[in-house]
Amino acid sequence: MAPDSAPPRAPQRAPDRATCAVIPAAGFATRFLPATKTVPKELLPVVDRPVLQYIVEESAAAGLSSVLLITGRGKTSMVDHFDRRPDLEAVLAAKGDQARLDAIRRPSELADIYTVRQPEMLGLGHAVGYAEAHVGGAPFAVLLPDEFPEPSDPLLSRMLSLQQHTGGIVLAFLEVPDDQVNRYGIGSVEPADPALGAPKSTVRVTGLVEKPALADAPSNLAVIGRYVLPSGIFDAIRRTKPGSGGEIQLTDAMALLLAEGTPVHGVIHRGVRYDTGVPLGYLQAVVQLACQRDGLGPEFKRWLAGFLAGD
Ligand code: UTP
């Protein structure tokens, strides 16, 4: 028992767990032109719903209750998808089409949606900086809206738990072939402290470099589009000068915090990753998810097998 003179112990408070997902979606999507000249790539349909709905579903499944979309010119239609459509709902209700009624209501039920505009496309780090007024001093997740894991994959949830534990930065890594290291932020890593009790696929990050030449790449671990960040990132972004491509890079802001002692960990993602930001990855996502979709998959697979066999 503590002696009478001991000061009263402050109640133990669990560290904050992120509750907000920030989705930077202001970019030009040049790799998918001309489709994306007027249609945001986030609204391209994968089977029967826009890519962005998969991302918001992923964030809701991980327990994030609010979503901040960072938008720009020509991107506002993205927000409408998460709004109610009473006129359309009335038509479907009159027809008794409950399945479609549920489907069009679902996006508005996933999370509270907020938006902020990035007035100039000065880079991912610059875009994330616009989230500061919304997230305040709490940690938050960043989800890039042109890639997502298998919908049942708990990647984001694992990252959120790890960040709550360390209070630092948590990244997701994908092992990429040598000829792709110059397209990503690449991490130098070492085994994570066993005291963390994290799965073996968790690593401690000791360095980060944006789009290195193969000869300079410290590993093949590429940073993919899921991050859980402490609020200190905003100050780091302000102190980050334009880097690769003349843009204010999120990788550079994270590297600054790392150099100043913020713990940085990575979760190596070994499952499927759909990359809908380029035509090939988009087509792969559509085919794979169509094959899995109830009520569509078996017939689609039969057709696909016949098509590939040259029927
Ligand atoms: P990308 O580098 O993939 O750029 O940005 P992009 O414009 O989407 O696509 P490409 O490369 O020209 O084909 C990664 C994410 O960061 C957002 C993008 O919208 C994308 O979701 N972003 C990037 C911004 O919101 N603002 C920026 O200034 C830059």
Side-chain angles (χ1 to χ4, degrees):
M1 219 166 87
D4 287 348
S5 57
R9 227 187 267 161
Q12 288 284 310
R13 199 172 145 267
D16 284 346
R17 185 181 171 94
T19 58
C20 176
V22 171
I23 304 185
F28 287 123
T30 53
R31 288 168 299 158
F32 221 133
L33 286 169
T36 47
K37 186 176 169 192
T38 55
V39 179
K41 70 175 167 184
E42 295 78 12
L43 288 186
L44 295 176
V46 170
V47 188
D48 59 355
R49 63 198 69 164
V51 174
L52 188 57
Q53 186 173 333
Y54 289 87
I55 314 292
V56 175
E57 282 178 353
E58 176 191 350
S59 96
L64 300 174
S65 54
S66 83
V67 167
L68 177 69
L69 286 170
I70 300 179
T71 69
R73 268 183 299 282
K75 293 278 191 143
T76 41
S77 53
M78 274 184 326
V79 188
D80 291 342
H81 181 71
F82 296 91
D83 211 349
R84 291 285 295 272
R85 272 291 302 269
D87 53 340
L88 186 52
E89 286 180 24
V91 170
L92 294 170
K95 280 192 193 166
D97 191 343
Q98 193 59 41
R100 289 200 174 88
L101 193 52
D102 292 345
I104 65 153
R105 276 189 187 147
R106 182 166 166 72
S108 64
E109 291 162 354
L110 290 170
D112 296 326
I113 307 284
Y114 302 86
T115 63
V116 63
R117 284 172 80 100
Q118 182 193 19
E120 273 183 292
M121 266 55 101
L122 297 181
L124 176 59
H126 181 257
V128 170
Y130 279 87
E132 185 169 17
H134 183 80
V135 303
F140 62 101
V142 173
L143 287 79
L144 299 195
D146 57 2
E147 57 176 279
F148 57 96
E150 197 58 51
S152 58
D153 194 309
L155 172 69
L156 184 58
S157 203
R158 281 180 53 199
M159 294 174 69
L160 291 165
S161 301
L162 184 60
Q163 198 281 336
Q164 187 177 19
H165 210 73
T166 65
I169 294 174
V170 177
L171 307 173
F173 284 123
L174 186 74
E175 254 175 284
V176 296
D178 284 355
D179 63 347
Q180 290 184 18
V181 294
N182 62 355
R183 296 191 211 160
Y184 292 90
I186 300 288
S188 350
V189 304
E190 59 185 32
D193 181 351
L196 271 178
K200 266 201 357 230
S201 54
T202 306
V203 289
R204 171 127 193 164
V205 180
T206 55
L208 284 170
V209 48
E210 183 67 26
K211 301 192 174 82
L214 180 59
D216 303 326
S219 76
N220 283 51
L221 291 177
V223 177
I224 55 172
R226 297 293 176 272
Y227 312 77
V228 189
L229 302 170
S231 59
I233 195 71
F234 296 118
D235 181 54
I237 289 170
R238 272 190 287 279
R239 292 185 285 131
T240 299
K241 305 258 177 304
S244 170
E247 297 189 331
I248 297 176
Q249 297 289 351
L250 184 60
T251 308
D252 294 342
M254 293 190 301
L256 197 58
L257 287 186
L258 172 67
E260 292 169 354
T262 298
V264 183
H265 291 84
V267 173
I268 302 174
H269 176 57
R270 302 211 191 272
V272 174
R273 168 180 174 258
Y274 299 111
D275 177 2
T276 53
V278 288
L280 178 63
Y282 171 78
L283 289 171
Q284 290 165 336
V286 171
V287 170
Q288 288 180 79
L289 288 163
C291 287
Q292 293 169 21
R293 185 59 54 83
D294 285 345
L296 179 72
E299 195 180 338
F300 180 64
K301 280 202 262 190
R302 264 196 306 280
W303 172 83
L304 189 61
F307 175 72
L308 293 174
D311 289 356

